[in-house]
């Protein structure tokens, strides 16, 4: 009998070596492969589903973007081309400054010929009809009070 | 270890060859563990079968945290414990364990090894299952007590005390055999 002092070593050395049989190997390998195939098929199906769902998501996102862009274009298109032009603003308040070169130039820059014409009309309206003998200086002096 | 990681990596990518290699590498070791624990070759084969089929079903999602040998040994130990519970109350004959060979190569050494191995099985069979389990996992499969405790779902102190009680019992059995 072995020494009992070192029972651990004794047990360690007594480890049995068991060999598997051919039929056991075949059974285990075949069953494992079958399970593995099944599992891989399921994984493929689920990954295909995931891709499909991603494609659906992509399509949905693309559709949403298209709708938003179309809505924006329609909204902008409704306002931009048919929007009535603002009435040209007068570049000055008093008739004297209205007919100054700077005021006329500003009016032209802001609204073109229409604004210039409007500014002239306003000036004439404020000044009103006067005798033709009056000079421009006299007219302006009377209007501005200077 | 690296070899195992490569095998697991390939196995997760659906390589049957990797699964075959893993099986070939550990089949005898795991069957030995199951036979030692259960003392019944046919049930032990079923245990190894169940473990590998379950392992195969984890392809693609299997994550190896420790050693593959340790993982598979734990699976076998767990499965063997379940089987042992199922057959609880039924006496297991010591003759049912069969086809054990020694590591020795020569015929005389082989015969001596078989005798020693069979004697060891007889000795271990006299222990309660819980003690036998801890001793076999620690001494034959070099599993640490912490890992054994995790596997069994007990504290490390419980695992160590089971080990000590088991060794004491074996020592007394062997002493009794010596004095006879």
């Amino acid at each position: 009998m072995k020494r009992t002092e070192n029972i651990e070593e004794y047990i360690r050395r007594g480890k049995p070596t068991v060999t598997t049989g051919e039929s056991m190997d075949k059974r285990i390998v075949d069953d494992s492969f079958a399970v593995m195939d099944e599992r891989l098929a399921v994984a493929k199906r689920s990954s295909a589903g995931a891709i499909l769902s991603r494609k659906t998501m992509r399509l949905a996102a693309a559709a949403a973007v298209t709708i938003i862009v179309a809505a924006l274009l329609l909204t902008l298109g409704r306002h931009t081309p048919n929007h009535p032009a603002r009435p040209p603003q007068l570049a000055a308040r008093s008739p004297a400054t209205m007919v100054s070169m700077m005021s006329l130039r500003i009016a032209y820059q802001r609204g073109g010929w229409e604004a210039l014409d409007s500014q002239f009309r306003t000036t004439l309206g404020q000044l009103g009809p006067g005798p033709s003998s009056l000079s421009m200086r006299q007219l302006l002096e009377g209007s501005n009070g200077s | 270890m690296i070899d195992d990681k490569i095998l697991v990596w390939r196995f997760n990518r659906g390589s049957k060859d990797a699964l075959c290699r893993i099986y070939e590498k550990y089949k005898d070791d795991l069957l030995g563990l199951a036979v030692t624990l259960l003392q019944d070759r046919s049930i032990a084969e079923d245990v190894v079968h169940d473990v590998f089929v379950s392992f195969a079903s984890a392809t693609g999602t299997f994550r190896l945290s420790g050693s593959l040998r340790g993982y598979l040994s734990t699976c076998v130990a767990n499965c063997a414990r379940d089987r042992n519970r199922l057959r609880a109350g039924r006496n297991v004959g010591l003759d049912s364990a069969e086809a054990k060979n020694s590591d020795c190569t020569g015929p005389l050494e082989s015969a001596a090894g078989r005798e020693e191995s069979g004697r060891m099985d007889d000795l271990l069979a006299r222990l309660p299952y819980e003690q036998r389990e801890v001793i076999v996992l620690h001494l034959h499969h070099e599993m640490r007590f912490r890992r054994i405790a995790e596997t069994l779902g007990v504290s490390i102190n419980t695992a160590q005390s089971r080990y000590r009680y088991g060794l004491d019992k074996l020592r007394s059995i062997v002493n009794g055999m010596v004095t006879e």
Side-chain angles (χ1 to χ4, degrees):
Chain A
M1 200 59 189
K2 297 286 176 187
R3 288 186 304 160
T4 56
E5 290 79 19
N6 200 350
I7 190 82
E8 286 178 326
E9 188 56 35
Y10 177 53
I11 296 167
R12 203 173 269 132
R13 273 194 285 118
K15 179 185 177 182
T17 303
V18 184
T19 50
T20 61
E22 204 172 303
S23 61
M24 178 193 169
D25 291 346
K26 191 178 182 315
R27 183 167 69 103
I28 291 178
V29 169
D30 287 350
D31 289 356
S32 298
F33 281 0
V35 168
M36 205 170 165
D37 284 340
E38 197 179 321
R39 176 76 184 174
L40 288 171
V42 170
K44 270 185 187 173
R45 276 202 297 273
S46 62
S47 61
I51 291 165
L52 196 67
S53 69
R54 277 183 209 152
K55 277 183 180 173
T56 315
M57 288 289 283
R58 281 179 194 166
L59 282 172
V65 168
T66 311
I67 289 167
I68 289 167
V69 168
L72 279 172
L73 283 175
L74 281 173
T75 314
L76 289 173
R78 200 174 292 162
H79 288 292
T80 312
N82 302 326
H83 191 68
R86 286 179 183 178
Q89 288 183 337
L90 295 174
R93 284 178 186 267
S94 74
T97 41
M98 275 186 208
V99 291
S100 70
M101 282 306 291
M102 187 179 287
S103 175
L104 290 172
R105 195 164 60 191
I106 290 168
Y108 179 75
Q109 283 173 349
R110 282 182 181 173
W113 287 109
E114 281 184 24
L116 196 61
D117 186 49
S118 169
Q119 186 150 323
F120 277 133
R121 282 172 193 277
T122 311
T123 312
L124 285 172
Q126 286 186 11
L127 291 174
S132 57
S133 59
L134 283 174
S135 67
M136 182 63 79
R137 178 183 285 270
Q138 286 169 326
L139 280 171
L140 294 175
E141 278 175 0
S143 171
N144 292 332
S146 57
Chain B
M1 189 72 178
I2 294 169
D3 191 33
D4 282 351
K5 286 202 182 285
I6 293 168
L7 284 175
V8 166
W9 185 81
R10 288 180 56 209
F11 162 71
N12 269 330
R13 270 144 195 81
S15 167
K16 288 180 179 174
D17 178 57
L19 180 65
C20 254
R21 281 169 186 251
I22 291 169
Y23 175 71
E24 287 295 327
K25 193 173 177 182
Y26 295 113
K27 60 178 186 176
D28 293 339
D29 205 27
L30 296 176
L31 184 63
L33 171 63
V35 166
T36 311
L37 289 175
L38 294 165
Q39 303 291 313
D40 186 316
R41 167 117 189 177
S42 63
I43 300 177
E45 286 185 359
D46 286 347
V47 164
V48 176
H49 172 270
D50 289 356
V51 165
F52 267 98
V53 169
S54 172
F55 177 67
S57 72
T59 181
T61 56
F62 181 73
R63 295 285 173 273
L64 183 63
S65 55
S67 73
L68 185 58
R69 181 178 182 244
Y71 170 79
L72 291 171
S73 299
T74 303
C75 290
V76 167
N78 288 336
C79 197
R81 200 176 319 114
D82 292 343
R83 294 289 179 128
N84 191 55
R85 282 189 196 130
L86 282 175
R87 63 169 190 177
R90 209 178 74 195
N91 288 329
V92 181
L94 296 178
D95 297 335
S96 50
E98 55 183 291
K100 298 184 184 70
N101 296 324
S102 167
D103 290 323
C104 310
T105 48
L108 284 174
E109 286 177 330
S110 178
R114 262 202 303 276
E115 190 187 346
E116 188 171 299
S117 173
R119 205 179 296 154
M120 181 56 61
D121 267 354
D122 293 350
L123 279 174
L124 289 171
R126 295 191 196 186
L127 293 178
Y129 185 86
E130 289 79 13
Q131 294 173 8
R132 184 165 71 228
E133 189 176 37
V134 177
I135 288 173
V136 169
L137 287 174
H138 184 65
L139 293 179
H140 288 178
H141 289 264
E142 293 149 10
M143 212 181 268
R144 292 176 183 275
F145 284 115
R146 184 181 298 279
R147 182 67 190 268
I148 293 170
E150 285 172 5
T151 303
L152 303 180
V154 296
S155 71
I156 192 166
N157 289 333
T158 306
Q160 283 173 331
S161 62
R162 282 180 187 175
Y163 178 76
R164 278 197 304 273
Y165 283 130
L167 283 189
D168 288 344
K169 189 165 184 180
L170 282 178
R171 196 175 284 118
S172 65
I173 293 168
V174 172
N175 279 334
M177 290 166 82
V178 169
T179 52
E180 277 174 6

